[in-house]
Amino acid sequence: PLSAFVLPPEMSLPERLQRDLELSAEVLRRLDALLEVCHEATEYILQYPGSTELKLDLQVLYLRRVHHFCFYAASWCQDEWALRDRCGAVALRGKRPSILERSDWTTEHEK
Protein backbone atom coordinates (compact mmCIF):
# COMPACT_ATOMS: atom_id res chain seq x y z
CA PRO A 1 0.00 0.00 0.00
CA LEU A 2 1.18 3.50 -0.85
CA SER A 3 1.38 6.12 1.84
CA ALA A 4 1.97 9.86 1.88
CA PHE A 5 4.00 12.13 4.12
CA VAL A 6 1.34 14.66 5.20
CA LEU A 7 2.73 17.99 6.34
CA PRO A 8 1.18 20.15 9.06
CA PRO A 9 -1.02 23.01 7.79
CA GLU A 10 1.45 25.74 8.78
CA MET A 11 3.88 24.37 6.16
CA SER A 12 1.61 26.02 3.56
CA LEU A 13 2.10 29.56 4.87
CA PRO A 14 3.84 31.89 2.38
CA GLU A 15 6.78 32.67 4.68
CA ARG A 16 7.31 28.95 5.40
CA LEU A 17 7.19 28.14 1.68
CA GLN A 18 9.83 30.80 1.01
CA ARG A 19 12.13 29.52 3.77
CA ASP A 20 11.74 25.94 2.54
CA LEU A 21 12.41 27.02 -1.05
CA GLU A 22 15.71 28.59 0.04
CA LEU A 23 16.69 25.63 2.21
CA SER A 24 15.77 23.03 -0.42
CA ALA A 25 17.84 24.95 -2.98
CA GLU A 26 20.86 24.76 -0.68
CA VAL A 27 20.36 21.01 -0.12
CA LEU A 28 19.93 20.49 -3.87
CA ARG A 29 23.15 22.39 -4.65
CA ARG A 30 25.15 20.45 -2.09
CA LEU A 31 23.89 17.03 -3.15
CA ASP A 32 24.34 17.82 -6.83
CA ALA A 33 27.92 18.96 -6.15
CA LEU A 34 28.64 15.89 -4.04
CA LEU A 35 27.46 13.59 -6.82
CA GLU A 36 28.97 15.76 -9.56
CA VAL A 37 25.70 16.51 -11.30
CA CYS A 38 26.19 18.89 -14.21
CA HIS A 39 25.99 22.53 -13.02
CA GLU A 40 23.62 23.42 -15.87
CA ALA A 41 21.11 20.80 -14.71
CA THR A 42 21.24 22.16 -11.17
CA GLU A 43 20.70 25.72 -12.34
CA TYR A 44 17.87 24.68 -14.67
CA ILE A 45 15.94 23.29 -11.70
CA LEU A 46 16.78 26.25 -9.44
CA GLN A 47 15.86 28.86 -12.07
CA TYR A 48 12.63 27.23 -13.20
CA PRO A 49 9.90 29.90 -13.52
CA GLY A 50 6.76 29.85 -11.43
CA SER A 51 5.30 30.51 -8.03
CA THR A 52 7.20 29.82 -4.82
CA GLU A 53 4.99 26.79 -4.22
CA LEU A 54 5.62 25.38 -7.71
CA LYS A 55 9.38 25.89 -7.44
CA LEU A 56 9.47 24.29 -3.99
CA ASP A 57 7.45 21.31 -5.22
CA LEU A 58 9.82 20.89 -8.17
CA GLN A 59 12.92 21.04 -5.97
CA VAL A 60 11.45 18.58 -3.44
CA LEU A 61 10.50 16.22 -6.26
CA TYR A 62 13.98 16.53 -7.80
CA LEU A 63 15.58 15.70 -4.44
CA ARG A 64 13.37 12.62 -4.16
CA ARG A 65 13.87 11.39 -7.73
CA VAL A 66 17.53 12.20 -8.30
CA HIS A 67 18.99 11.87 -4.80
CA HIS A 68 16.46 9.66 -2.95
CA PHE A 69 16.28 12.41 -0.34
CA CYS A 70 13.15 13.38 1.59
CA PHE A 71 13.46 17.10 2.25
CA TYR A 72 10.80 17.19 4.97
CA ALA A 73 12.18 14.22 6.90
CA ALA A 74 15.83 15.10 6.15
CA SER A 75 16.28 11.48 5.19
CA TRP A 76 18.71 10.24 2.53
CA CYS A 77 18.01 6.72 1.33
CA GLN A 78 19.86 4.09 -0.69
CA ASP A 79 17.19 3.94 -3.39
CA GLU A 80 13.64 5.02 -4.27
CA TRP A 81 12.14 1.95 -2.59
CA ALA A 82 13.79 2.68 0.74
CA LEU A 83 12.69 6.32 0.39
CA ARG A 84 9.09 5.27 -0.26
CA ASP A 85 9.13 2.92 2.72
CA ARG A 86 10.59 5.55 5.04
CA CYS A 87 8.79 8.70 3.85
CA GLY A 88 5.83 7.58 1.77
CA ALA A 89 5.35 7.94 -1.95
CA VAL A 90 4.85 11.71 -1.83
CA ALA A 91 4.79 14.69 0.55
CA LEU A 92 1.45 16.49 0.72
CA ARG A 93 0.76 20.01 1.92
CA GLY A 94 -2.68 20.88 3.19
CA LYS A 95 -4.68 24.08 3.08
CA ARG A 96 -3.22 27.18 4.67
CA PRO A 97 -4.42 27.55 8.26
CA SER A 98 -6.64 30.49 9.12
CA ILE A 99 -5.01 30.77 12.56
CA LEU A 100 -1.34 30.04 13.00
CA GLU A 101 -0.53 27.43 15.60
CA ARG A 102 2.95 25.99 15.33
CA SER A 103 3.15 22.26 15.69
CA ASP A 104 6.02 20.41 17.34
CA TRP A 105 6.83 18.97 13.91
CA THR A 106 7.38 22.42 12.40
CA THR A 107 9.60 23.45 15.29
CA GLU A 108 11.74 20.35 14.75
CA HIS A 109 11.87 20.95 10.97
CA GLU A 110 13.43 24.36 11.55
CA LYS A 111 16.33 22.96 13.57
Side-chain angles (χ1 to χ4, degrees):
L2 293 178
S3 62
F5 193 91
V6 180
L7 302 171
E10 64 264 29
M11 298 304 286
S12 295
L13 293 170
E15 58 274 9
R16 177 79 255 168
L17 293 171
Q18 185 60 45
R19 281 196 302 260
D20 284 348
L21 178 66
E22 293 164 8
L23 181 58
S24 65
E26 182 62 28
V27 171
L28 193 151
R29 280 188 187 98
R30 288 182 185 220
L31 290 178
D32 276 4
L34 181 67
L35 297 176
E36 299 178 351
V37 171
C38 157
H39 178 71
E40 290 80 15
T42 303
E43 289 307 310
Y44 179 80
I45 295 297
L46 295 175
Q47 301 303 321
Y48 197 82
S51 67
T52 300
E53 192 170 9
L54 175 69
K55 290 181 195 182
L56 175 59
D57 289 345
L58 180 63
Q59 289 177 192
V60 168
L61 180 61
Y62 178 89
L63 289 168
R64 288 184 66 91
R65 295 291 185 149
V66 174
H67 297 291
H68 313 300
F69 182 82
C70 178
F71 173 74
Y72 293 106
S75 184
W76 199 6
C77 298
Q78 183 69 28
D79 58 36
E80 66 269 19
W81 308 112
L83 178 63
R84 187 200 65 197
D85 291 345
R86 186 175 296 162
C87 298
V90 68
L92 299 174
R93 258 190 316 273
K95 289 177 146 182
R96 291 183 181 138
S98 54
I99 298 174
L100 176 61
E101 291 184 26
R102 291 176 55 90
S103 69
D104 292 339
W105 188 93
T106 303
T107 302
E108 287 298 312
H109 176 68
E110 289 187 355
K111 289 184 179 179

